[in-house]
Amino acid sequence: MLSNHSSTIAALEGATKAYGTHRVLEAFDFTLEAGSVTALLGPNGAGKSTVAGLLTGRLQADSGRVTLFGRDPSDQLARARLGIMLQAGGLPETLTVAEAVDLHAGYFARRLPTAAVLEQAGLTALANRRCDRLSGGEARKVQFALAIAGAPDLLVLDEPTTGFDPDARRAMWDVVRAKADAGAGVLLATHHMDEAEALADRIVVIAGGRIIADGTPAAIKAQVAATAIRLRTRLPAERFRALPGVAKVETVGADLSVLTTAPRASLEAAFAIDPALQHFEVTGASLEDALANLVQSNRTALKEAA
Amino acid sequence: MMSDVLIAPAPAVYARESWAEIIKSARMPQFIIPTIALPPAFYALFALAMGQGSAEAATRALATFGVFAVMGPALFGFGANIAAERESGQLELKRLSPMPAGAQIAAKLAATTAFSMVAFVMLYALGLAGGVALTAGQWVMLAGVHTLAIIPFALIGLGIGYRLGQKGAIAVANIAFLAMAVLGGLWMPIAVLPQAMQTIAWALPSYHLGEMALMAAGQREAANLWLHAGPLTLITLAAALFAWTGERQQAK
């Protein structure tokens, strides 16, 4: 299936979507490729779920073109190749896990056998449990099982591992990875940076309805070249927010974590306002920090432009 | 053909969806007991025990209680269940799947029909025991009117379910259920009600269906059929519009 790897399976071309007078997306272009995991990151309200909603046909674009497997997303032939895990997904309370999976799989001609779906989703032991007797994490697994049951060519996962323990998360990541390696496209909307870093071939960062970064996880990290400085100080965090280069300040235990694009200038300024500063530690930023920095500098750029 | 490879055959999907709908409801005792057992129980109590063995009273009550038996499964099966499935996101997941658009409604209709049939069989058996004597043709017509009754009530249930949350839908379905039973003359003839209330009956599908069921059972002059079939058709069309606009509203 490697031959499919560079083919576009879903696209937004100049898509615009507004809720009332609030424009979430404007002239938005985006494509998804087969055989790769694309993580959609960004602050709440940035337009992540709108992008996913347009591609899956849950939402209608006000203008522009949306295609899924070369068709309109509401086309039955397009939906037959799509597996979705919504963020808020209820289950038929009185059906068993196996019955619910079997019913949903039955909508797809290429469906996987129920036993195989349950096994992949880690639900074999719960096959005969009623859906209203599942824990939050177990119910989430059933949602995932429904998404993969039709052997989809595009898997759209919205915050898939919320409520999972570390083992369950890794198990699900393995299954998603295997689906992508077998040729499926995966769109992953998540708040968990470690999830994006572990799973994604490509990270797309959205803020304010625009793509502000698009690349491999390594490229995204390199693009910002941010540095995290950990300080022990008696001064309040606010004093450090105004320092040159500083994108974000967080309290971490007894310390402050200062994210900066100009570590030298920031450190010098920090010594100037707190001559008593003794303990500090300078490290490369995590992906999470890099993203916070990206979003922050995008905001600043927009303000300056306005 | 691509479509053969990708799309599951519709009849199979309809059949599975219907079966799932039936077992989903059958496993909810809070649904099954009031909707199926209540009409025969009321019939036995009010019509048979209190009717002092009059075959005519038993026949009249059988005609109207058959309509009553449909209202529970239709109003709650559609109204409350659709509202719950919409609220929890189940409906959305189905809408985004390749499931044929009509399968959901067809399945609910099949389940409502199945549960109504169970209630009919119990009612008819009680009726026979209570001295109801109808010709084969009358039985067929009576069962036909009772089955027909599913459509307007299901549409009203749908309109409620698409508009309200689960709790609201249950409350409104309960009010509609009781109002249509009492004001539609299903428990006792509307002649015992005040004049103003009798007028309301003309706007209720339960009233016209009850009258038509009485005609089928030979208890009313069948020449007046259009007097009730006409308004019932209009009410059903209005209910269809109510359901359709509700569906449009939630599809946005």
Side-chain angles (χ1 to χ4, degrees):
Chain A
M1 293 268 193
L2 280 165
S3 58
N4 284 341
H5 274 206
S6 60
S7 59
T8 297
I9 50 176
L12 296 181
E13 292 162 70
T16 297
K17 178 74 185 172
Y19 296 100
T21 55
H22 176 55
R23 291 211 163 185
V24 180
L25 297 180
E26 183 144 15
F28 195 87
D29 295 315
F30 180 67
T31 55
L32 271 178
E33 312 297 324
S36 97
V37 179
T38 302
L40 217 45
L41 299 176
N44 283 330
K48 280 179 309 206
S49 28
T50 304
V51 170
L54 290 173
L55 288 174
T56 55
R58 192 169 61 80
L59 301 172
Q60 294 272 322
D62 299 330
S63 63
R65 211 166 107 86
V66 183
T67 48
L68 181 60
F69 303 109
R71 297 167 186 276
D72 188 285
S74 64
D75 188 321
Q76 204 187 7
L77 281 172
R79 290 198 307 245
R81 300 172 68 185
L82 175 69
I84 306 177
M85 185 174 177
L86 295 170
Q87 208 175 343
L91 294 169
E93 293 179 353
T94 53
L95 292 188
T96 66
V97 169
E99 285 168 344
V101 168
D102 193 53
L103 179 67
H104 196 81
Y107 304 147
F108 302 83
R110 293 188 310 189
R111 60 164 297 172
L112 301 175
T114 301
V117 177
L118 295 176
E119 211 249 301
Q120 290 179 24
L123 287 166
T124 306
L126 296 173
N128 296 316
R129 178 86 53 93
R130 263 171 59 157
C131 289
D132 57 358
R133 290 175 193 153
L134 298 173
S135 72
E138 289 164 349
R140 225 42 209 136
K141 283 187 189 173
V142 180
Q143 295 290 336
F144 178 67
L146 299 185
I148 61 172
D153 292 323
L154 173 60
L155 196 53
V156 176
L157 307 171
D158 199 349
E159 302 288 344
T161 56
T162 306
F164 276 39
D165 60 59
D167 285 345
R169 287 184 93 195
R170 261 189 299 277
M172 186 187 278
W173 291 349
D174 287 345
V175 176
V176 173
R177 191 65 254 170
K179 300 279 175 202
D181 291 344
V186 180
L187 180 65
L188 173 72
T190 183
H191 277 106
H192 301 290
M193 304 305 157
D194 57 336
E195 187 156 274
E197 204 162 7
L199 208 48
D201 302 299
R202 173 185 170 209
I203 289 177
V204 175
V205 185
I206 305 184
R210 298 190 311 127
I211 292 179
I212 59 170
D214 185 346
T216 62
I220 298 279
K221 274 208 263 185
Q223 189 176 335
V224 262
T227 304
I229 306 172
R230 236 174 133 116
L231 308 168
R232 186 154 295 170
T233 176
R234 292 217 176 88
L235 296 179
E238 290 76 54
R239 294 286 304 272
F240 292 87
R241 288 211 173 93
L243 301 186
V246 170
K248 195 175 138 196
V249 180
E250 267 184 334
T251 309
V252 182
D255 299 343
L256 289 182
S257 171
V258 176
L259 191 71
T260 171
T261 48
R264 192 191 165 95
S266 302
L267 260 182
E268 280 171 2
F271 281 119
I273 60 168
D274 184 6
L277 196 63
Q278 282 295 337
H279 300 277
F280 63 90
E281 193 185 322
V282 182
T283 58
S286 66
L287 183 58
E288 181 157 8
D289 291 333
L291 286 168
N293 198 15
L294 255 180
V295 170
Q296 181 60 43
S297 51
N298 177 61
R299 241 179 237 148
T300 317
L302 284 179
K303 257 186 217 153
E304 279 164 8
Chain B
M1 272 296 287
M2 190 85 158
S3 59
D4 297 335
V5 181
L6 287 172
I7 312 245
V13 175
Y14 275 73
R16 294 152 73 92
E17 196 69 23
S18 299
W19 178 241
E21 203 61 50
I22 289 171
I23 57 176
K24 261 157 67 179
S25 295
R27 286 179 191 162
M28 281 186 230
Q30 69 274 30
F31 168 81
I32 206 82
I33 291 169
T35 55
I36 295 189
L38 216 59
F42 275 23
Y43 179 64
L45 183 68
F46 293 128
L48 301 183
M50 292 162 74
Q52 286 134 9
S54 151
E56 204 183 319
T59 308
R60 280 200 190 138
L62 182 68
T64 60
F65 270 79
V67 177
F68 175 60
V70 171
M71 289 200 328
L75 283 173
F76 294 105
F78 277 90
N81 287 359
I82 289 262
E85 285 165 15
R86 193 168 48 79
E87 245 177 4
S88 75
Q90 290 178 62
L91 221 52
E92 178 146 57
L93 195 63
K94 281 183 198 281
R95 206 158 59 79
L96 300 179
S97 82
M99 182 190 81
Q104 176 82 35
I105 302 298
K108 291 234 181 296
L109 213 48
T112 300
T113 308
F115 291 121
S116 301
M117 293 291 177
V118 177
F120 292 163
V121 168
M122 289 197 281
L123 270 178
Y124 296 170
L126 283 170
L128 283 171
V132 173
L134 298 178
T135 66
Q138 284 174 323
W139 277 116
V140 170
M141 283 199 291
L142 185 64
V145 173
H146 288 161
T147 308
L148 181 74
I150 293 169
I151 295 167
F153 295 128
L155 288 170
I156 292 170
L158 262 180
I160 295 170
Y162 281 139
R163 279 180 176 78
L164 299 173
Q166 187 181 10
K167 285 183 181 139
I170 291 175
V172 171
N174 260 310
I175 293 167
F177 179 72
L178 284 174
M180 289 199 283
V182 174
L183 299 177
L186 298 183
W187 289 352
M188 52 208 149
I190 60 165
V192 305
L193 299 172
Q195 191 62 44
M197 286 179 141
Q198 291 188 33
T199 319
I200 298 175
W202 282 85
L204 301 177
S206 50
Y207 172 63
H208 300 292
L209 285 159
E211 291 298 306
M212 286 163 69
L214 287 165
M215 286 175 196
Q219 300 298 311
R220 286 281 194 281
E221 197 56 60
N224 291 333
L225 178 65
W226 65 270
L227 253 181
H228 297 291
L232 180 66
T233 308
L234 290 179
I235 293 166
T236 304
L237 288 174
L241 190 67
F242 176 60
W244 185 73
T245 51
E247 204 272 337
R248 294 281 79 192
Q249 204 173 311
Q250 60 99 41
K252 268 193 288 189

